[in-house]
Amino acid sequence: MKAFQVDQFVEGLHTNDSGKKFWVLLDPDREEPEQLKYAAEVSVDEGADTLLVGSSYYERNDFDESVKAVQEGAGGKVPVLLFPGNHQQLSEFADALLFLSLLSGRNPQYLIGEHILAAPKLRRMDLPAIPTGYYLVDGGRVTSVQSVTGTTPLPRKKIELIASHALAGQYLGMKLVYLEAGSGAKLTVPLDAIALTQKTIDVPLIVGGGIRTPEAAHAAAKAGADIVVIGNHLEKSRDPGRVREMAVAVHSAAREPVAKLV
Ligand code: 1GP
């Protein structure tokens, strides 16, 4: 893949109700490099627009091998972005990384601390960083991100509070906003929170966490997510047909008018 251009990439994510994107998250802690390669191949063949690689809890020591395997599977057809749980999950074999600030929390380590540790490495690796405001929304159970970061998620019903957090992130310079219910969440990010956030901000909106059905993926996109991320559910079987269903569910939402939920 040719040199990654952050601004061009972000510009392409502004869907304006058309061209919703389907991203697949691959967890290098839970799958071997060979499995990751296959997962990447299947995801790309069946409609994923971008692959994310990362884990909120990572204890292996072959991160580079995992990212290389994902790149091989992706075959240069889509970008491979890091979605790091901390400053150790960096690899020059990725195209870029989501430089996540956990703005729903008040833990300085995830607001700025990890970033300082990562910055010199990013420079050495010449790895483009995409400033991303990352917001945990209560997903009905304690997820790994919540325990690892020691932060409290935003209450699901406080949709104005969620939207204000997102807008503050935009004003701080975040190029993307990511509303996260947490991997394996019981409940997905509420549709009214997605709709209000999308109406409030001007940067592309990513939504993920606990999406297990094409209907839920479609609903998130229709409510206003520019990008829908699915990890866990597809990991269970790597069924190409299921990946395709999810891709179609997200992409088809683009052709409908955005629901007026708020
Ligand atoms: C988690 O938003 C992603 O960081 C995806 O969540 O694994 O529950 O699909 P799932």
Side-chain angles (χ1 to χ4, degrees), residues 36-49:
L36 289 170
K37 182 179 167 193
Y38 174 71
E41 259 168 31
V42 169
S43 304
V44 172
D45 287 351
E46 302 303 330
D49 299 297

Side-chain angles (χ1 to χ4, degrees), residues 42-95:
V42 169
S43 304
V44 172
D45 287 351
E46 302 303 330
D49 299 297
T50 287
L51 300 177
L52 295 182
V53 185
S55 185
S56 45
Y57 182 70
Y58 181 79
E59 55 172 28
R60 294 173 62 106
N61 55 11
D62 56 353
F63 194 72
D64 270 344
E65 297 314 308
S66 297
V67 178
K68 264 199 253 183
V70 173
Q71 281 287 17
E72 278 173 39
K77 294 179 196 150
V78 303
V80 173
L81 306 184
L82 300 181
F83 177 57
N86 61 38
H87 71 276
Q88 285 162 332
Q89 291 175 43
L90 301 177
S91 169
E92 62 187 328
F93 299 104
D95 294 303

